Amino acid sequence: MSTTSPHPEFPGSASYKPWAYILLALLVCISIATVFLTRNSYDSSDSIMHYLFAHYAFQHPINFLESWSKPLVVQLAALPARAGLRGLMVLQCVLVAVATAAAYNAASSLRMPWPWLTIVFCYASPDYFRIQFSGLTEPTFSAVLMVAVALALRGRVAWGAAIISFLPFARSEGFLLLAVYGFYVLVTHNWRALPWLTLGFIVYGIAGVFVYDDFWWVFTRNAYPVRNELYGNGGWLHFIRSLPDTIGWVQYGLFWLGGGRMLWEWLQPTARLYSEKFTADLLLVYGCVVVFIGAHTVFWVFGIFGSFGLTRVLCSVVPLLSLIVLRGLGLVTSLGRTGTARKQIMATLVLGIVGFVFSGARAALRWERDFGQPSDQILANTAARWILGKQVPHVVYSHPYFSLALGTNPFGNYTNKIEDLRDPDRWMPTGTLIFWDEWYGGMEGQTSFESLHTNPTYQLRWQGALPRNRHKPTPDSVRMAIFEKIR
């Protein structure tokens, strides 16, 4: 089957492949340069915790097979994380590049117009660019998912099945998208690919026999309970309304046009240019996006599986979204009557997409907000400096960033979490310092400042506060305190 596009004004993959990878290499260089400029870590919670699980994995091998931290993520990150958080960020840049290259490959397989634009779309998605500078799981998930889809579109369905079988070990939603891929395998009668869908589970199940004496540990030790009242719930349109924060407003509009175009083609089979690719496109691109966003919507509406309504999860499917956006762009450019007109429409839209990133809009990139150090980390560093030179037998904290500020191993015997203070069987020596903060210690740890301040066992030694947004002060501030156990 020829890979030449039937539309000469829509260059195909053969003409653009060298330039596409040069463009990708340039964007990767920009990302890696940003690694050494940023002072941010996307967030101070899960991003830091995933880094800590990887950084200390060789000292605490159980981290390699832990449900919350995700085994595949820890295994990929363990060596880079030994070089520090920036080492892990470099790995994230590589993973985003792999996912983006796979998106370009998928667009070429689908013979879409200007497939190299998927590279632009991925890197011009503000939140997907930001998430490279974190320890989070979304880049790994997006890379594994996109590689599997690209392989299937190339006709290597069994290889794709083997790759996607490891997806649940990058993020738990992987089980749902593994089912989507399995449905595609059944629909297309690729029977030889079916056994490969179990590869990841078998590999990690055997590992679980040696570590937990439990082949089914993935389910029996699941880190996400069905109910978690602490996080609450939200509305049905939460993730759809938040999608512009992930990919920008111009791409958001094209995304809906691309979805409409696919729906029209589904209803009008005669309109399909490449019917042999249509099923793969429908199920593996659109199907995965619909199932992923739909599942998170259900989790958030009903407050299940530890959903906190975090929209960063949408970064997991940005490479797939870039294919839908490209289809939408193709629909708009088809309105041009000549090849020149179509290229002009394309160039205008691409300039709008890239320009939005630097527009200063709330959903765009802002240097100080996105790459400057957040207030809670500044305050934690200040608190850590307070104990310099002091002999401290034990420390207690719940804010993950205190591990970096204090240089302590959160998995070692030197530390406890604030919620352990309520356990009478947890003995802690006199002189123990408790590092309290209002969210991780106060809300999640359910230990208020007043409960420590009024307890004669503890004495307040230091406290501080900073506006959460230092450039636009509001009543919302970050508060931290240090208490010492005196008896």
Side-chain angles (χ1 to χ4, degrees), residues 173-453:
E173 308 95 312
F175 284 110
L176 298 173
L177 301 195
L178 182 61
V180 174
Y181 196 99
F183 181 67
Y184 167 74
V185 168
L186 292 174
V187 167
T188 56
H189 304 144
N190 281 286
W191 311 118
R192 293 182 180 180
L194 275 176
W196 291 105
L197 291 171
T198 65
L199 178 63
F201 182 79
I202 291 172
V203 168
Y204 283 109
I206 293 172
V209 171
F210 291 98
V211 176
Y212 298 119
D213 197 27
D214 183 5
F215 182 83
W216 306 98
W217 72 272
V218 176
F219 303 109
T220 59
R221 294 176 177 268
N222 179 29
Y224 299 98
V226 175
R227 301 296 303 181
N228 189 329
E229 301 297 335
L230 178 63
Y231 294 148
N233 62 328
W236 286 99
L237 298 179
H238 173 66
F239 287 98
I240 291 297
R241 287 174 175 169
S242 301
L243 193 54
D245 293 341
T246 303
I247 61 176
W249 280 101
V250 182
Q251 289 201 66
Y252 185 65
L254 293 174
F255 163 78
W256 285 110
L257 290 174
R261 176 66 179 269
M262 170 56 76
L263 180 62
W264 182 75
E265 290 184 6
W266 179 60
L267 295 173
Q268 304 287 333
T270 56
R272 302 172 192 170
L273 290 176
Y274 310 106
S275 57
E276 68 277 9
K277 298 285 187 181
F278 182 80
T279 301
D281 192 9
L282 177 66
L283 294 179
L284 299 183
V285 177
Y286 290 82
C288 283
V289 168
V290 169
V291 168
F292 187 91
I293 297 178
H296 273 286
T297 297
V298 171
F299 299 160
W300 179 229
V301 168
F302 293 100
I304 58 177
F305 299 120
S307 176
F308 197 21
L310 295 174
T311 58
R312 70 163 193 248
V313 300
L314 297 171
C315 292
S316 302
V317 291
V318 163
L320 290 179
L321 293 175
S322 73
L323 298 175
I324 300 175
V325 171
L326 185 58
R327 184 179 291 273
L329 182 140
L331 176 61
V332 176
T333 56
S334 67
L335 299 176
R337 295 186 176 182
T338 66
T340 300
R342 290 171 181 168
K343 289 179 181 178
Q344 289 173 344
I345 295 172
M346 179 272 288
T348 301
L349 288 171
V350 171
L351 284 173
I353 289 170
V354 175
F356 178 83
V357 176
F358 305 101
S359 67
R362 183 183 61 82
L365 294 180
R366 295 181 181 178
W367 182 261
E368 194 59 39
R369 181 196 65 188
D370 299 325
F371 305 104
Q373 193 166 34
S375 293
D376 62 338
Q377 295 185 8
I378 292 174
L379 202 57
N381 287 333
T382 303
R385 286 195 293 271
W386 181 86
I387 70 167
L388 287 178
K390 296 179 175 64
Q391 293 295 322
V392 180
H394 201 79
V395 293
V396 176
Y397 58 85
S398 289
H399 195 304
Y401 187 78
F402 274 124
S403 291
L404 273 64
L406 298 169
T408 57
N409 177 354
F411 309 104
N413 296 323
Y414 180 67
T415 65
N416 276 97
K417 290 189 175 182
I418 280 187
E419 47 264 43
D420 295 336
L421 297 175
R422 300 195 304 274
D423 185 351
D425 296 327
R426 294 270 189 176
W427 178 84
M428 297 174 198
T430 300
T432 293
L433 291 183
I434 296 97
F435 290 79
W436 177 91
D437 74 284
E438 61 186 341
W439 176 257
Y440 302 98
M443 290 293 294
E444 294 194 358
Q446 299 181 355
T447 304
S448 68
F449 176 89
E450 290 72 20
S451 68
L452 294 174
H453 197 212

Side-chain angles (χ1 to χ4, degrees), residues 69-93:
S69 62
K70 301 308 172 197
L72 183 61
V73 174
V74 174
Q75 286 147 24
L76 290 174
L79 280 176
R82 294 300 300 164
L85 184 55
R86 295 189 192 277
L88 178 52
M89 289 178 181
V90 171
L91 172 67
Q92 302 282 57
C93 293

